[in-house]
Amino acid sequence: MTHDADSVLLTEPGTAKNADSDIARPRLDNVDMLRGLAIVLMSLDHVREFLSAAQYSPTDVANTTAALFFTRWVTDFCAPVFVFLAGTGAYLYGRRVHSTAHASRFLLTRGLWLVVLELTVIRLAWFFNFDYASGSVGQVIWTIGWSMVVMSGLVFLPISAITTIGILLIAFHNVFDPVSADSFGENWAWLWRFLHAGGGVTPFSGVPVHVAYPLIPWVGVMAAGYGFGPLLKLPQGKRRVETLALGIVLTLTFFGLRATNMYGDPGQWSSHPEFVRTMLSFLALQKYPPSLLFLLMTLGPALIVLAAADRPLGKFGHFLVIYGRVPLFYYILHLFVIHALTIGIVYLQCQETPAWLFSFPPGHAGLDSAGNNCGVDLPVLYGIWLGVVVALYPLCRWFAGVKRRRRDAWLSYL
C-alpha cells in the first residue's frame, strides 16, 4: 500500500519500508478493521437513504420503530471514526517522513483534492445529474478535506497544542449554538454556516452548496485524532490498555452529561410511557453539526472496539480490513452502485423513474407520481446492503493489492 493516501486519510500504512530505514513496519490491522467496519456501516445508511419505505425520519422518536432508529443510529459512528483516524494518520505520516513541511504540503493538497472530489465525482454519484445550479452537498469527504487543509497549518504546532485545540473545539463549540448566521449580516453569514451552523453557501455565482458538515467541530475531531497518534506507537499491551481506558472514560462522560440534560446537545431527552422510546430519546443526538454528546457517544465506543480488536483478527476481521485499506475507493464505488440499483428497483416497482431519483437528498418519501411508495422494508433493505458489500469485495481486494504492490503517485489520491 502507498504511504500517502490512506495513511493520511484514515490509517497507518501497511507493512512497508520506512523512508529512512530498511526496517519494515507491521500494519495496525485493528485500525484498518475499525475503518472497514465504519465504511461498511456507512453504506447501510446510504442504502436506507435511497430505498427505505419509511414515511418518517428514523430519528423521529414519536413515530419511528426501534429497528429503524438503530439502523440509522449504528451508522452515526462512521463519520467520527473517519475524521478521527484521519487525524491519527496525519500524525503517523508526519513521524514517518520526518518533515513537518512535507506532511503539511501533503495534507494541503490531499485536502483540496478531497473537496474537489466531493463537488464533482461524489456529487455525480448522489445526484446523477450535472445541474450544479440545483445545488451540491458538502458531506463527510468535504469535511475531511477542509479539516486537512486546516491541519496543514496546525501541524507546525507542538502536539500538545494540537490536542488541546481539538479537545477545546469538541467540548465548547456548542456554546455558540445560539449564534445565528444571519447575525453576521449578508456578507458574512456564509462563513458562519461554513464554520459552525451549516446551511447554504454559494462559493460561485449560481452554484449553491449545502454545508451538512460544518468545519469547527470536525477540525476538533481530526486534531484530537492527531493527538491520539502517539498512543499507537506504544507497545501493544500498553497501547491496548490506554485505548480501552480512554474509550471507557469518553463513554461514561457521555452518559453522565446526557443524564443531566444541561449541556452538550441542543435537544433534551425526555421520558415516555414506553421505556424503548425513552431510550431512543436519550440516544437521539444532533449530528449536523455534531454535538459534544454525539461525539462522545460515538468516539468512546469506537475506541473500545479499537482496543478489543488490537489482537490477531479472525476471518471476519480480515474481511473488514480489506475495505479499511481502500476506503475512498469503496466510498465512491458503492454510491454509484446503490444509486443505480435504486433506479432499477424503483422502476420495477412503479414503472417509472421519479424525479427524486436524480436529486439529493434522495426522496425519503420514495413516492411515484401516483403517490405510491416505491421503497422497501427493512429486511429487504438489509439484504440489498449485504449484497452490495459482498459484490464489491473482489474489486476492493484487487485495488488493495494494487496499492500494496505499486508506488505510483496518482494512487496516493485514491
Side-chain angles (χ1 to χ4, degrees):
M1 186 168 194
T2 67
H3 293 321
D4 296 331
D6 296 318
S7 63
V8 175
L9 179 57
L10 297 167
T11 186
E12 166 79 351
T15 300
K17 291 182 179 180
N18 188 293
D20 297 322
S21 75
D22 292 329
I23 300 173
R25 298 173 180 271
R27 215 185 158 93
L28 293 172
D29 280 346
N30 62 324
V31 176
D32 287 331
M33 188 281 296
L34 179 60
R35 189 176 56 259
L37 176 62
I39 195 72
V40 165
L41 287 175
M42 180 176 278
S43 58
L44 170 62
D45 193 46
H46 296 159
V47 172
R48 180 198 59 78
E49 280 197 278
F50 276 109
L51 281 167
S52 174
Q55 299 297 300
Y56 43 78
S57 168
T59 56
D60 178 1
V61 174
N63 294 302
T64 193
T65 64
L68 182 60
F69 178 92
F70 283 108
T71 296
R72 169 61 170 150
W73 180 82
V74 75
T75 67
D76 284 341
F77 292 81
C78 303
V81 166
F82 291 153
V83 180
F84 185 85
L85 291 182
T88 303
Y91 167 82
L92 296 170
Y93 180 78
R95 299 291 79 74
R96 185 166 52 257
V97 298
H98 299 291
S99 169
T100 302
H102 180 90
S104 175
R105 285 194 301 273
F106 184 77
L107 283 168
L108 177 63
T109 56
R110 173 71 171 178
L112 292 175
W113 170 242
L114 291 178
V115 173
V116 170
L117 276 181
E118 180 76 86
L119 297 179
T120 55
V121 177
I122 294 171
R123 183 198 178 279
L124 177 61
W126 280 115
F127 285 72
F128 270 24
N129 71 52
F130 294 96
D131 180 15
Y132 278 83
S134 67
S136 303
V137 183
Q139 300 190 86
V140 67
I141 303 302
W142 158 283
T143 203
I144 290 175
W146 284 120
S147 295
M148 284 183 174
V149 171
V150 175
M151 285 298 299
S152 71
L154 292 182
V155 293
F156 291 99
L157 298 176
I159 189 168
S160 59
I162 297 172
T163 307
T164 300
I165 289 170
I167 293 172
L168 291 176
L169 290 177
I170 292 171
F172 296 110
H173 78 276
N174 285 121
V175 171
F176 300 98
D177 287 344
V179 179
S180 71
D182 293 338
S183 66
F184 289 89
E186 184 177 349
N187 291 332
W188 293 103
W190 68 271
L191 182 60
W192 190 242
R193 296 188 188 105
F194 174 75
L195 292 175
H196 179 78
V201 301
T202 308
F204 305 103
S205 179
V207 185
V209 177
H210 178 81
V211 178
Y213 285 70
L215 190 59
I216 288 176
W218 293 111
V219 168
V221 174
M222 187 173 287
Y226 190 95
F228 177 76
L231 194 150
L232 292 181
K233 309 296 286 185
L234 297 174
Q236 183 183 31
K238 186 175 178 61
R239 177 177 73 218
R240 189 176 186 185
V241 169
E242 293 197 12
T243 302
L244 178 62
L246 179 58
I248 291 173
V249 167
L250 294 181
T251 303
L252 292 178
T253 302
F254 158 70
F255 280 108
L257 271 179
R258 185 57 167 164
T260 67
N261 255 342
M262 292 177 60
Y263 177 74
D265 193 88
Q268 296 189 336
W269 67 277
S270 58
S271 296
H272 293 257
E274 301 170 85
F275 170 75
V276 170
R277 298 213 177 271
T278 300
M279 178 176 62
L280 300 188
S281 176
F282 191 88
L283 295 175
L285 300 169
Q286 179 177 281
K287 181 179 180 180
Y288 307 105
S291 67
L292 164 63
L293 289 175
F294 177 89
L295 294 172
L296 289 173
M297 178 187 73
T298 51
L299 289 175
L303 289 174
I304 293 173
V305 171
L306 187 65
D310 196 358
R311 56 181 176 77
L313 300 176
K315 289 184 179 180
F316 182 65
H318 284 294
F319 175 78
L320 293 175
V321 161
I322 292 297
Y323 299 101
R325 290 179 179 174
V326 291
L328 185 58
F329 179 77
Y330 176 85
Y331 182 86
I332 294 173
L333 198 59
H334 92 279
L335 287 177
F336 281 101
V337 171
I338 291 171
H339 200 161
L341 276 174
T342 300
I343 291 174
I345 290 169
V346 168
Y347 184 80
L348 290 174
Q349 284 182 310
C350 301
Q351 300 304 303
E352 67 177 57
T353 51
W356 59 261
L357 288 168
F358 303 95
S359 63
F360 184 85
H364 289 287
L367 303 178
D368 66 8
S369 58
N372 299 311
N373 196 328
C374 299
V376 300
D377 294 327
L378 277 182
V380 178
L381 188 151
Y382 272 84
I384 293 170
W385 165 60
L386 290 174
V388 169
V389 171
V390 173
L392 293 182
Y393 180 81
L395 277 174
C396 291
R397 186 182 179 109
W398 164 77
F399 194 61
V402 170
K403 301 192 79 172
R404 184 178 63 251
R405 294 188 300 271
R406 301 181 61 172
R407 296 292 181 266
D408 303 53
W410 66 271
L411 287 171
S412 67
Y413 290 90
L414 287 177

